Amino acid sequence: WCLTEAFQTLGGPLPAKIVWAKLQYFGIAAVPPMWLLFTAKYADAGWTTRRGLRAGLWAAALLTVVASATNEWHHALWTSVELTASGAAVYQHGVLFWAINVYSHVLVFSGTLLLLSALRRSPRPLRGQSLAMIVAGVLPWTGNLFYVAGLTPAGVDATPLAFTVSAL
């Protein structure tokens, strides 16, 4: 997600930016189920072995990637894309973008709740580990909320930058 965002931001004509944006959806679609499955395993939730649940999470991710690849046919993810004077691509989001975003935030929020539960149950020496993961998870989530709320300049998605900070 971060790498493809960098290539999209660095320049090129609009069609190239759209290709990079489509490639971003491999990461965009994968992060929420990976976060939920990771936090559930860490919190010892027990349900991570259910194949049907995992298949459903990955089916939704696959549908997201397919939707981005075929957006020109349905315009459900982006209704239009325009270049600003500075060369940034600004995407007008369609109904599918908002549905995917809500779904993704539910998964990320659920994973964060699992970490909070693990934090409460953890022995004192391990609480810092859970707390560090919560902070690292909340940073990209917050960056994404700023982006979807339109609080970033010229349509800049702050999520990949927040991932970089949380990795540190």
Side-chain angles (χ1 to χ4, degrees), residues 43 112-122 134:
T112 305
L113 288 178
L114 287 168
L115 285 178
L116 286 169
S117 172
L119 175 66
R120 252 191 2 258
R121 293 188 327 263
S122 292
I134 291 167

Side-chain angles (χ1 to χ4, degrees), residues 19-76:
V19 168
W20 287 115
K22 289 179 178 189
L23 290 172
Q24 273 186 312
Y25 272 86
F26 282 97
I28 290 169
V31 166
M34 285 175 25
W35 175 254
L36 180 62
L37 291 169
F38 167 75
T39 57
K41 189 75 167 171
Y42 179 83
D44 200 21
W47 49 260
T48 57
T49 58
R50 294 186 185 158
R51 287 182 184 216
L53 175 73
R54 288 192 329 243
L57 290 171
W58 290 114
L62 178 62
L63 288 173
T64 300
V65 170
V66 169
S68 73
T70 60
N71 189 67
E72 289 79 11
W73 299 340
H74 49 74
H75 298 284

